[in-house]
Amino acid sequence: MSAPQILWLRRDLRLADQPALHAAAQAGPVIPMFVLDDAAAGDHAYGGASRWWLHHSLESLGHSLGKLGSRIVLRRGDATTELAKLANETGASAIHAIRHYEPWWRKAQTELKKALPSGCELCLHDGNYLAEPGSVANGSGGVYKIYTPFSKAVLDRMPPREELPAPEHIGSPEEWPKSDDLADWNLLPTKPDWAGGLRDFWEVGESAAQDRLDEWVESVSGYEASRNLPSQDGSSRLSPHLHWGEISPVQVWHRLADTRDEGWQTYAKELIWRDYAQNIIAEYPDYPLKSYRDGFESLWRSGADADADFTAWTKGRTGYPIVDAGMRQLWQTGWMHNRVRMIAASFLVKHLLIDWRRGEQWYWDCLVDADYGNNGVNWQWISGTGVDSNMFVRIMAPLTQSEKFAAADYIREYVPELAALSDDDIHDPPESR
Ligand code: FAD
Protein backbone atom coordinates (compact mmCIF):
# COMPACT_ATOMS: atom_id res chain seq x y z
CA MET A 1 0.00 0.00 0.00
CA SER A 2 1.33 3.47 -0.81
CA ALA A 3 2.00 5.95 2.01
CA PRO A 4 -0.97 7.94 3.32
CA GLN A 5 -1.63 11.46 2.11
CA ILE A 6 -2.91 14.00 4.60
CA LEU A 7 -5.52 16.42 3.26
CA TRP A 8 -5.33 19.61 5.35
CA LEU A 9 -8.79 21.18 5.26
CA ARG A 10 -9.44 24.83 6.08
CA ARG A 11 -11.82 27.01 4.03
CA ASP A 12 -12.18 24.40 1.30
CA LEU A 13 -14.84 22.11 2.70
CA ARG A 14 -15.97 20.38 -0.49
CA LEU A 15 -15.34 17.23 -2.54
CA ALA A 16 -15.84 18.59 -6.08
CA ASP A 17 -13.28 20.90 -7.68
CA GLN A 18 -11.02 20.43 -4.66
CA PRO A 19 -7.53 20.27 -6.21
CA ALA A 20 -5.82 19.22 -2.96
CA LEU A 21 -8.23 16.30 -2.47
CA HIS A 22 -7.94 15.41 -6.15
CA ALA A 23 -4.14 15.19 -5.92
CA ALA A 24 -4.17 13.35 -2.59
CA ALA A 25 -6.71 10.75 -3.78
CA GLN A 26 -4.56 9.97 -6.82
CA ALA A 27 -1.42 9.54 -4.73
CA GLY A 28 -2.60 7.12 -2.01
CA PRO A 29 -4.95 6.58 0.90
CA VAL A 30 -6.22 9.91 2.19
CA ILE A 31 -6.48 11.19 5.77
CA PRO A 32 -8.61 14.36 5.70
CA MET A 33 -7.79 16.51 8.69
CA PHE A 34 -9.19 19.69 10.19
CA VAL A 35 -7.35 21.46 13.03
CA LEU A 36 -9.27 23.90 15.19
CA ASP A 37 -6.54 26.44 15.87
CA ASP A 38 -8.08 29.09 18.11
CA ALA A 39 -4.88 31.00 18.82
CA ALA A 40 -3.15 31.55 15.47
CA ALA A 41 -5.50 34.21 14.11
CA GLY A 42 -5.47 36.45 17.21
CA ASP A 43 -8.23 39.09 16.86
CA HIS A 44 -9.47 37.19 13.83
CA ALA A 45 -10.11 33.86 15.50
CA TYR A 46 -13.46 32.46 14.31
CA GLY A 47 -16.36 34.68 15.39
CA GLY A 48 -19.59 33.30 16.84
CA ALA A 49 -21.44 33.02 13.53
CA SER A 50 -18.41 31.47 11.83
CA ARG A 51 -18.17 28.81 14.53
CA TRP A 52 -21.82 27.95 13.98
CA TRP A 53 -21.29 27.61 10.22
CA LEU A 54 -18.06 25.66 10.66
CA HIS A 55 -19.75 23.06 12.86
CA HIS A 56 -22.44 22.36 10.28
CA SER A 57 -20.05 22.47 7.35
CA LEU A 58 -17.70 19.93 8.95
CA GLU A 59 -20.67 17.75 9.83
CA SER A 60 -21.92 17.90 6.25
CA LEU A 61 -18.51 17.15 4.73
CA GLY A 62 -18.06 14.31 7.23
CA HIS A 63 -21.30 12.73 5.97
CA SER A 64 -20.25 13.09 2.33
CA LEU A 65 -16.86 11.55 3.05
CA GLY A 66 -18.57 8.79 5.02
CA LYS A 67 -20.49 7.77 1.89
CA LEU A 68 -17.11 7.19 0.24
CA GLY A 69 -15.81 5.20 3.20
CA SER A 70 -13.69 8.12 4.45
CA ARG A 71 -13.92 10.56 7.39
CA ILE A 72 -12.36 13.73 8.84
CA VAL A 73 -9.80 13.52 11.62
CA LEU A 74 -10.44 16.43 13.99
CA ARG A 75 -7.70 17.81 16.19
CA ARG A 76 -7.45 20.96 18.27
CA GLY A 77 -4.33 23.08 18.86
CA ASP A 78 -1.55 24.70 16.90
CA ALA A 79 -2.11 23.68 13.28
CA THR A 80 1.59 23.23 12.44
CA THR A 81 2.24 21.08 15.50
CA GLU A 82 -0.84 18.92 15.01
CA LEU A 83 -0.16 18.33 11.31
CA ALA A 84 3.48 17.44 11.91
CA LYS A 85 2.36 15.09 14.70
CA LEU A 86 -0.15 13.38 12.42
CA ALA A 87 2.47 13.05 9.69
CA ASN A 88 4.77 11.33 12.21
CA GLU A 89 2.02 9.06 13.55
CA THR A 90 0.90 7.87 10.13
CA GLY A 91 4.09 7.91 8.04
CA ALA A 92 2.36 10.17 5.50
CA SER A 93 4.48 11.09 2.50
CA ALA A 94 2.65 14.35 1.76
CA ILE A 95 0.26 16.92 3.14
CA HIS A 96 -1.98 18.38 0.45
CA ALA A 97 -3.70 21.70 1.06
CA ILE A 98 -5.32 24.51 -0.85
CA ARG A 99 -3.25 27.67 -0.55
CA HIS A 100 -4.65 30.28 1.87
CA TYR A 101 -3.56 33.92 2.17
CA GLU A 102 -4.58 35.04 5.66
CA PRO A 103 -1.31 35.98 7.42
CA TRP A 104 -1.70 33.28 10.07
CA TRP A 105 -2.21 30.61 7.42
CA ARG A 106 0.75 31.84 5.40
CA LYS A 107 2.89 31.64 8.54
CA ALA A 108 1.61 28.11 9.25
CA GLN A 109 2.32 27.07 5.63
CA THR A 110 5.92 28.31 5.97
CA GLU A 111 6.48 26.77 9.39
CA LEU A 112 4.94 23.46 8.43
CA LYS A 113 7.48 22.94 5.65
CA LYS A 114 10.21 23.04 8.31
CA ALA A 115 8.33 21.00 10.93
CA LEU A 116 7.52 17.96 8.76
CA PRO A 117 9.43 14.71 9.23
CA SER A 118 11.81 13.81 6.44
CA GLY A 119 10.03 12.00 3.64
CA CYS A 120 6.91 14.09 4.03
CA GLU A 121 6.37 17.18 1.87
CA LEU A 122 3.81 19.97 1.88
CA CYS A 123 2.02 20.28 -1.49
CA LEU A 124 0.06 23.51 -1.82
CA HIS A 125 -2.55 23.79 -4.55
CA ASP A 126 -4.41 26.74 -6.03
CA GLY A 127 -8.13 26.29 -5.64
CA ASN A 128 -10.19 29.03 -4.01
CA TYR A 129 -9.80 31.94 -6.45
CA LEU A 130 -10.12 32.84 -10.11
CA ALA A 131 -6.84 34.77 -10.00
CA GLU A 132 -4.54 33.63 -7.21
CA PRO A 133 -2.58 36.45 -5.56
CA GLY A 134 0.63 37.03 -7.47
CA SER A 135 -0.79 35.74 -10.75
CA VAL A 136 -2.03 39.15 -11.96
CA ALA A 137 0.34 42.12 -11.82
CA ASN A 138 0.12 45.73 -12.99
CA GLY A 139 2.34 47.28 -15.68
CA SER A 140 5.28 47.64 -13.30
CA GLY A 141 4.93 44.14 -11.90
CA GLY A 142 3.26 45.20 -8.64
CA VAL A 143 -0.13 44.53 -7.11
CA TYR A 144 -3.13 46.46 -8.45
CA LYS A 145 -4.29 48.81 -5.70
CA ILE A 146 -7.43 49.87 -7.55
CA TYR A 147 -10.22 47.40 -8.24
CA THR A 148 -11.26 48.44 -11.80
CA PRO A 149 -7.98 47.80 -13.62
CA PHE A 150 -7.50 44.64 -11.55
CA SER A 151 -10.91 43.41 -12.62
CA LYS A 152 -10.16 44.13 -16.30
CA ALA A 153 -6.89 42.21 -16.05
CA VAL A 154 -8.65 39.21 -14.47
CA LEU A 155 -11.45 39.26 -17.06
CA ASP A 156 -8.81 39.16 -19.80
CA ARG A 157 -7.56 35.85 -18.34
CA MET A 158 -10.98 34.22 -18.14
CA PRO A 159 -12.39 31.61 -18.52
CA PRO A 160 -10.70 29.90 -15.57
CA ARG A 161 -9.27 26.37 -15.63
CA GLU A 162 -11.63 23.43 -16.10
CA GLU A 163 -13.29 22.26 -12.90
CA LEU A 164 -12.33 18.94 -11.32
CA PRO A 165 -14.91 16.24 -10.56
CA ALA A 166 -15.42 14.90 -7.04
CA PRO A 167 -13.40 11.70 -6.59
CA GLU A 168 -15.46 8.52 -7.05
CA HIS A 169 -13.20 6.66 -4.69
CA ILE A 170 -11.05 7.82 -1.76
CA GLY A 171 -8.64 5.27 -0.32
CA SER A 172 -8.54 4.87 3.47
CA PRO A 173 -5.49 4.30 5.69
CA GLU A 174 -5.07 0.83 7.25
CA GLU A 175 -5.85 2.35 10.61
CA TRP A 176 -7.67 5.62 11.27
CA PRO A 177 -5.83 8.02 13.60
CA LYS A 178 -7.74 9.12 16.68
CA SER A 179 -10.01 12.13 16.31
CA ASP A 180 -11.82 14.60 18.55
CA ASP A 181 -15.57 14.49 18.61
CA LEU A 182 -17.04 17.53 16.78
CA ALA A 183 -19.66 18.04 19.51
CA ASP A 184 -16.88 18.44 22.10
CA TRP A 185 -15.60 21.54 20.30
CA ASN A 186 -18.71 23.43 21.45
CA LEU A 187 -18.91 25.46 18.25
CA LEU A 188 -22.68 25.82 18.57
CA PRO A 189 -24.12 28.37 20.99
CA THR A 190 -26.09 26.91 23.89
CA LYS A 191 -26.44 29.46 26.70
CA PRO A 192 -28.23 31.17 25.14
CA ASP A 193 -28.87 29.47 21.82
CA TRP A 194 -28.99 32.56 19.60
CA ALA A 195 -28.72 30.60 16.33
CA GLY A 196 -32.44 30.04 15.59
CA GLY A 197 -32.46 32.78 12.93
CA LEU A 198 -29.36 31.29 11.29
CA ARG A 199 -30.94 27.85 11.18
CA ASP A 200 -34.05 29.30 9.50
CA PHE A 201 -32.06 31.28 6.95
CA TRP A 202 -29.34 28.84 5.87
CA GLU A 203 -28.68 25.35 4.61
CA VAL A 204 -25.01 24.61 5.15
CA GLY A 205 -22.67 22.38 3.16
CA GLU A 206 -21.58 21.49 -0.34
CA SER A 207 -24.87 20.13 -1.61
CA ALA A 208 -26.74 23.17 -0.20
CA ALA A 209 -24.25 25.37 -2.07
CA GLN A 210 -24.93 23.47 -5.30
CA ASP A 211 -28.70 23.78 -4.74
CA ARG A 212 -28.37 27.52 -4.22
CA LEU A 213 -26.29 27.79 -7.39
CA ASP A 214 -28.99 25.84 -9.31
CA GLU A 215 -31.57 28.39 -8.15
CA TRP A 216 -29.27 31.27 -8.93
CA VAL A 217 -28.81 30.15 -12.55
CA GLU A 218 -32.47 31.04 -13.02
CA SER A 219 -32.08 34.50 -11.46
CA VAL A 220 -28.66 35.80 -12.47
CA SER A 221 -29.96 37.64 -15.54
CA GLY A 222 -31.93 39.93 -13.21
CA TYR A 223 -28.86 40.68 -11.06
CA GLU A 224 -28.00 44.04 -12.62
CA ALA A 225 -31.51 45.35 -11.94
CA SER A 226 -32.12 43.84 -8.50
CA ARG A 227 -28.81 43.45 -6.70
CA ASN A 228 -29.08 46.80 -4.92
CA LEU A 229 -32.66 46.29 -3.74
CA PRO A 230 -32.63 44.78 -0.24
CA SER A 231 -36.38 44.08 -0.32
CA GLN A 232 -35.80 41.56 -3.11
CA ASP A 233 -33.88 38.29 -3.08
CA GLY A 234 -31.71 39.77 -5.82
CA SER A 235 -28.24 38.49 -5.04
CA SER A 236 -26.86 34.96 -4.98
CA ARG A 237 -26.34 34.55 -1.21
CA LEU A 238 -23.43 32.31 -2.09
CA SER A 239 -20.98 34.28 0.06
CA PRO A 240 -20.75 31.89 3.03
CA HIS A 241 -20.53 28.90 0.68
CA LEU A 242 -17.72 30.62 -1.23
CA HIS A 243 -15.99 31.74 1.95
CA TRP A 244 -15.95 28.24 3.47
CA GLY A 245 -15.03 26.73 0.13
CA GLU A 246 -18.17 24.61 -0.07
CA ILE A 247 -18.21 25.73 -3.68
CA SER A 248 -15.40 27.17 -5.78
CA PRO A 249 -15.58 30.33 -7.90
CA VAL A 250 -14.46 28.18 -10.84
CA GLN A 251 -17.60 26.05 -10.44
CA VAL A 252 -19.76 29.17 -10.19
CA TRP A 253 -18.12 30.66 -13.26
CA HIS A 254 -18.62 27.63 -15.49
CA ARG A 255 -22.19 27.04 -14.34
CA LEU A 256 -23.27 30.63 -15.04
CA ALA A 257 -21.07 31.81 -17.86
CA ASP A 258 -23.32 30.42 -20.60
CA THR A 259 -25.92 33.08 -19.79
CA ARG A 260 -23.51 35.80 -21.00
CA ASP A 261 -26.05 38.54 -20.40
CA GLU A 262 -25.80 41.84 -18.56
CA GLY A 263 -26.71 40.23 -15.23
CA TRP A 264 -23.94 37.67 -15.52
CA GLN A 265 -21.38 40.28 -16.57
CA THR A 266 -22.09 42.36 -13.49
CA TYR A 267 -22.09 39.24 -11.32
CA ALA A 268 -18.71 38.14 -12.68
CA LYS A 269 -17.25 41.49 -11.59
CA GLU A 270 -18.56 40.97 -8.05
CA LEU A 271 -16.92 37.56 -7.92
CA ILE A 272 -13.68 39.27 -8.90
CA TRP A 273 -13.97 41.56 -5.84
CA ARG A 274 -13.17 38.45 -3.77
CA ASP A 275 -9.97 37.97 -5.70
CA TYR A 276 -9.11 41.64 -5.43
CA ALA A 277 -9.47 41.46 -1.64
CA GLN A 278 -7.17 38.43 -1.43
CA ASN A 279 -4.60 40.17 -3.62
CA ILE A 280 -4.69 43.14 -1.26
CA ILE A 281 -4.24 41.12 1.94
CA ALA A 282 -1.51 39.02 0.34
CA GLU A 283 0.38 42.28 -0.30
CA TYR A 284 -0.68 44.09 2.90
CA PRO A 285 -1.27 41.35 5.50
CA ASP A 286 -2.31 43.79 8.25
CA TYR A 287 -4.84 45.56 6.04
CA PRO A 288 -7.85 44.70 8.26
CA LEU A 289 -5.94 45.98 11.30
CA LYS A 290 -4.82 49.50 10.38
CA SER A 291 -5.72 52.45 8.16
CA TYR A 292 -3.47 52.70 5.14
CA ARG A 293 -3.86 56.49 4.95
CA ASP A 294 -2.61 58.82 7.69
CA GLY A 295 -4.48 61.39 9.69
CA PHE A 296 -7.49 59.42 10.88
CA GLU A 297 -6.53 58.56 14.47
CA SER A 298 -7.52 62.00 15.81
CA LEU A 299 -10.86 61.84 14.01
CA TRP A 300 -12.37 58.85 15.81
CA ARG A 301 -14.57 59.52 18.82
CA SER A 302 -13.97 57.60 22.03
CA GLY A 303 -15.40 57.62 25.57
CA ALA A 304 -18.82 56.84 27.02
CA ASP A 305 -20.91 58.67 24.40
CA ALA A 306 -19.12 56.98 21.54
CA ASP A 307 -19.47 53.61 23.30
CA ALA A 308 -23.22 54.17 23.72
CA ASP A 309 -23.55 55.06 20.02
CA PHE A 310 -21.56 51.99 19.06
CA THR A 311 -23.80 49.76 21.18
CA ALA A 312 -26.93 51.30 19.63
CA TRP A 313 -25.47 50.60 16.18
CA THR A 314 -24.74 46.96 16.99
CA LYS A 315 -28.26 46.44 18.33
CA GLY A 316 -30.03 48.16 15.42
CA ARG A 317 -31.27 51.04 17.58
CA THR A 318 -29.79 54.12 15.90
CA GLY A 319 -33.16 55.53 14.84
CA TYR A 320 -32.16 55.34 11.15
CA PRO A 321 -34.51 52.65 9.79
CA ILE A 322 -32.30 51.31 6.99
CA VAL A 323 -29.28 51.07 9.30
CA ASP A 324 -31.32 49.40 12.04
CA ALA A 325 -32.87 46.94 9.59
CA GLY A 326 -29.43 45.93 8.35
CA MET A 327 -27.92 45.52 11.79
CA ARG A 328 -30.89 43.42 12.92
CA GLN A 329 -30.72 41.29 9.78
CA LEU A 330 -27.05 40.70 10.59
CA TRP A 331 -27.84 39.66 14.16
CA GLN A 332 -30.74 37.40 13.20
CA THR A 333 -29.36 35.71 10.11
CA GLY A 334 -25.58 36.13 10.18
CA TRP A 335 -25.72 37.94 6.83
CA MET A 336 -26.56 41.41 5.57
CA HIS A 337 -27.46 42.60 2.10
CA ASN A 338 -24.45 44.21 0.39
CA ARG A 339 -26.06 47.62 -0.16
CA VAL A 340 -27.05 47.75 3.49
CA ARG A 341 -23.62 46.54 4.66
CA MET A 342 -22.27 49.61 2.89
CA ILE A 343 -24.86 52.01 4.33
CA ALA A 344 -24.49 50.67 7.90
CA ALA A 345 -20.69 50.75 7.72
CA SER A 346 -20.67 54.26 6.28
CA PHE A 347 -23.05 55.38 9.03
CA LEU A 348 -20.75 54.09 11.76
CA VAL A 349 -17.70 55.77 10.31
CA LYS A 350 -19.00 58.98 8.74
CA HIS A 351 -21.99 59.86 10.91
CA LEU A 352 -20.90 58.48 14.27
CA LEU A 353 -17.17 59.02 13.62
CA ILE A 354 -16.33 55.69 15.19
CA ASP A 355 -13.14 53.89 14.18
CA TRP A 356 -13.93 51.48 11.31
CA ARG A 357 -11.97 48.75 13.08
CA ARG A 358 -14.67 48.46 15.76
CA GLY A 359 -17.22 47.88 12.99
CA GLU A 360 -14.93 45.42 11.25
CA GLN A 361 -14.71 43.37 14.45
CA TRP A 362 -18.47 43.41 14.95
CA TYR A 363 -19.12 42.21 11.40
CA TRP A 364 -16.36 39.64 11.92
CA ASP A 365 -18.16 38.18 14.92
CA CYS A 366 -21.65 38.23 13.39
CA LEU A 367 -21.20 37.29 9.71
CA VAL A 368 -21.39 33.67 8.58
CA ASP A 369 -19.25 34.79 5.61
CA ALA A 370 -16.75 36.73 7.79
CA ASP A 371 -13.68 36.82 5.58
CA TYR A 372 -10.38 38.44 6.53
CA GLY A 373 -9.85 39.84 3.03
CA ASN A 374 -13.40 40.76 2.02
CA ASN A 375 -14.29 42.30 5.35
CA GLY A 376 -11.10 44.32 5.84
CA VAL A 377 -10.94 45.54 2.26
CA ASN A 378 -14.59 46.61 2.19
CA TRP A 379 -14.35 48.40 5.53
CA GLN A 380 -11.34 50.39 4.36
CA TRP A 381 -13.05 51.09 1.03
CA ILE A 382 -16.17 52.44 2.75
CA SER A 383 -14.06 54.41 5.23
CA GLY A 384 -11.83 55.98 2.61
CA THR A 385 -8.77 54.96 4.61
CA GLY A 386 -7.30 52.37 2.26
CA VAL A 387 -4.89 52.06 -0.66
CA ASP A 388 -7.70 52.31 -3.21
CA SER A 389 -9.08 55.56 -4.63
CA ASN A 390 -12.21 55.94 -2.48
CA MET A 391 -12.16 59.15 -0.45
CA PHE A 392 -13.34 59.78 3.11
CA VAL A 393 -15.60 62.61 1.92
CA ARG A 394 -17.90 60.17 0.04
CA ILE A 395 -20.85 59.52 2.33
CA MET A 396 -23.72 57.07 1.85
CA ALA A 397 -26.65 59.10 3.11
CA PRO A 398 -28.92 56.54 4.82
CA LEU A 399 -32.24 58.32 4.29
CA THR A 400 -31.84 58.97 0.57
CA GLN A 401 -30.24 55.57 -0.09
CA SER A 402 -33.11 53.85 1.67
CA GLU A 403 -35.63 55.56 -0.62
CA LYS A 404 -33.53 55.22 -3.76
CA PHE A 405 -33.16 51.46 -3.25
CA ALA A 406 -36.81 50.91 -2.29
CA ALA A 407 -36.02 49.42 1.12
CA ALA A 408 -39.54 49.80 2.61
CA ASP A 409 -40.42 46.09 2.79
CA TYR A 410 -36.95 45.23 4.04
CA ILE A 411 -37.38 47.73 6.88
CA ARG A 412 -40.84 46.30 7.64
CA GLU A 413 -39.35 42.82 7.95
CA TYR A 414 -36.50 43.68 10.31
CA VAL A 415 -37.89 46.73 12.15
CA PRO A 416 -41.48 45.57 12.73
CA GLU A 417 -42.34 48.53 14.96
CA LEU A 418 -42.26 50.65 11.78
CA ALA A 419 -44.26 48.23 9.65
CA ALA A 420 -47.43 50.33 9.61
CA LEU A 421 -45.72 53.37 8.08
CA SER A 422 -46.30 54.18 4.43
CA ASP A 423 -43.67 53.65 1.74
CA ASP A 424 -43.08 57.41 1.80
CA ASP A 425 -42.66 57.76 5.56
CA ILE A 426 -40.83 54.57 6.52
CA HIS A 427 -37.38 55.71 5.38
CA ASP A 428 -37.51 58.77 7.64
CA PRO A 429 -40.36 58.38 10.17
CA PRO A 430 -42.13 61.74 10.84
CA GLU A 431 -41.79 61.47 14.66
CA SER A 432 -38.01 61.24 14.41
CA ARG A 433 -37.67 64.32 12.17
P1 FAD B 1 -23.54 38.59 -4.63
O1 FAD B 1 -23.94 39.99 -4.91
O2 FAD B 1 -24.40 37.52 -5.17
O3 FAD B 1 -22.03 38.45 -5.14
C1 FAD B 1 -21.45 37.17 -5.50
C2 FAD B 1 -20.20 36.92 -4.71
O4 FAD B 1 -19.20 37.87 -5.03
C3 FAD B 1 -20.40 37.03 -3.22
O5 FAD B 1 -20.92 35.82 -2.70
C4 FAD B 1 -18.99 37.33 -2.74
O6 FAD B 1 -18.20 36.16 -2.62
C5 FAD B 1 -18.43 38.18 -3.87
N1 FAD B 1 -18.61 39.60 -3.58
C6 FAD B 1 -19.66 40.39 -3.88
N2 FAD B 1 -19.43 41.66 -3.49
C7 FAD B 1 -18.21 41.67 -2.93
C8 FAD B 1 -17.39 42.68 -2.34
N3 FAD B 1 -17.80 43.95 -2.25
N4 FAD B 1 -16.20 42.33 -1.84
C9 FAD B 1 -15.75 41.04 -1.91
N5 FAD B 1 -16.47 40.05 -2.48
C10 FAD B 1 -17.68 40.36 -2.98
N6 FAD B 1 -18.19 39.64 1.81
C11 FAD B 1 -17.78 38.48 2.34
O7 FAD B 1 -17.82 37.43 1.67
N7 FAD B 1 -17.26 38.42 3.61
C12 FAD B 1 -17.17 39.53 4.40
O8 FAD B 1 -16.69 39.45 5.53
C13 FAD B 1 -17.65 40.77 3.88
N8 FAD B 1 -17.62 41.91 4.63
C14 FAD B 1 -18.09 43.08 4.09
C15 FAD B 1 -18.01 44.26 4.85
C16 FAD B 1 -18.49 45.46 4.34
C17 FAD B 1 -18.38 46.71 5.15
C18 FAD B 1 -19.04 45.49 3.05
C19 FAD B 1 -19.55 46.77 2.47
C20 FAD B 1 -19.09 44.35 2.27
C21 FAD B 1 -18.60 43.14 2.77
N9 FAD B 1 -18.63 41.95 2.00
C22 FAD B 1 -18.16 40.78 2.54
C23 FAD B 1 -18.98 41.99 0.56
C24 FAD B 1 -20.45 41.75 0.20
O9 FAD B 1 -21.28 42.53 0.99
C25 FAD B 1 -20.85 40.28 0.34
O10 FAD B 1 -19.92 39.45 -0.31
C26 FAD B 1 -22.23 40.06 -0.28
O11 FAD B 1 -23.19 40.86 0.35
C27 FAD B 1 -22.61 38.61 -0.16
O12 FAD B 1 -23.89 38.38 -0.66
P2 FAD B 1 -24.11 37.55 -2.00
O13 FAD B 1 -23.42 36.25 -1.90
O14 FAD B 1 -25.57 37.53 -2.24
O15 FAD B 1 -23.36 38.46 -3.05
Side-chain angles (χ1 to χ4, degrees), residues 68-325:
L68 295 171
S70 185
R71 61 176 79 162
I72 311 177
V73 173
L74 303 173
R75 298 269 174 101
R76 190 171 197 158
D78 173 68
T80 309
T81 310
E82 291 302 321
L83 283 152
K85 224 194 277 176
L86 190 73
N88 264 315
E89 277 170 34
T90 58
S93 64
I95 296 182
H96 294 269
I98 288 188
R99 208 173 259 110
H100 284 58
Y101 299 93
E102 290 90 339
W104 58 93
W105 288 138
R106 287 171 69 186
K107 184 164 173 265
Q109 286 161 187
T110 307
E111 285 175 355
L112 186 55
K113 282 187 192 148
K114 295 181 216 144
L116 287 177
S118 69
C120 182
E121 57 171 345
L122 176 64
C123 305
L124 293 172
H125 305 262
D126 294 342
N128 276 356
Y129 297 97
L130 296 169
E132 295 284 328
S135 67
V136 177
N138 65 21
S140 34
V143 71
Y144 281 105
K145 293 183 181 173
I146 315 282
Y147 164 76
T148 305
F150 172 82
S151 150
K152 285 193 184 125
V154 175
L155 282 168
D156 280 349
R157 295 160 48 107
M158 294 295 108
R161 62 170 172 77
E162 287 303 307
E163 60 188 286
L164 297 165
E168 286 173 10
H169 170 77
I170 300 176
S172 293
E174 277 170 17
E175 196 180 333
W176 279 101
K178 67 176 172 44
S179 167
D180 291 355
D181 194 340
L182 181 59
D184 292 341
W185 281 1
N186 296 322
L187 296 172
L188 300 179
T190 49
K191 291 177 189 160
D193 173 9
W194 43 257
L198 278 67
R199 287 193 290 273
D200 292 346
F201 204 74
W202 297 107
E203 297 283 335
V204 180
E206 183 173 12
S207 74
Q210 290 295 339
D211 290 348
R212 182 62 191 162
L213 181 57
D214 287 345
E215 286 168 17
W216 184 239
V217 175
E218 307 299 321
S219 315
V220 67
S221 48
Y223 183 72
E224 172 62 23
S226 62
R227 71 193 181 108
N228 277 311
L229 306 177
S231 298
Q232 295 185 15
D233 186 9
S235 70
S236 68
R237 292 195 188 168
L238 282 171
S239 55
H241 301 296
L242 281 162
H243 167 74
W244 291 102
E246 294 172 353
I247 197 165
S248 76
V250 169
Q251 291 174 295
V252 175
W253 185 284
H254 288 305
R255 186 87 165 78
L256 295 174
D258 283 348
T259 55
R260 295 192 195 285
D261 58 15
E262 205 186 20
W264 155 249
Q265 282 165 24
T266 307
Y267 188 75
K269 290 190 195 136
E270 293 305 308
L271 277 181
I272 292 171
W273 265 100
R274 272 181 92 239
D275 291 55
Y276 168 71
Q278 288 303 304
N279 275 262
I280 292 291
I281 60 147
E283 182 73 11
Y284 310 108
D286 58 356
Y287 203 71
L289 306 176
K290 67 167 208 196
S291 296
Y292 263 72
R293 280 189 201 148
D294 294 332
F296 285 93
E297 292 311 316
S298 58
L299 191 73
W300 310 130
R301 289 166 59 225
S302 58
D305 281 356
D307 288 349
D309 285 346
F310 180 70
T311 303
W313 179 79
T314 60
K315 291 185 184 309
R317 301 212 170 277
T318 64
Y320 285 76
I322 184 75
V323 175
D324 291 345

Side-chain angles (χ1 to χ4, degrees), residues 223 235-239 242 267 270-271 273-274 335-336 338 341-342 345 363 367 369-371 374-375 378-379:
Y223 183 72
S235 70
S236 68
R237 292 195 188 168
L238 282 171
S239 55
L242 281 162
Y267 188 75
E270 293 305 308
L271 277 181
W273 265 100
R274 272 181 92 239
W335 185 85
M336 201 196 308
N338 179 56
R341 285 190 207 203
M342 293 196 280
Y363 275 24
L367 283 169
D369 62 26
D371 183 280
N374 288 356
N375 202 33
N378 278 284
W379 271 98

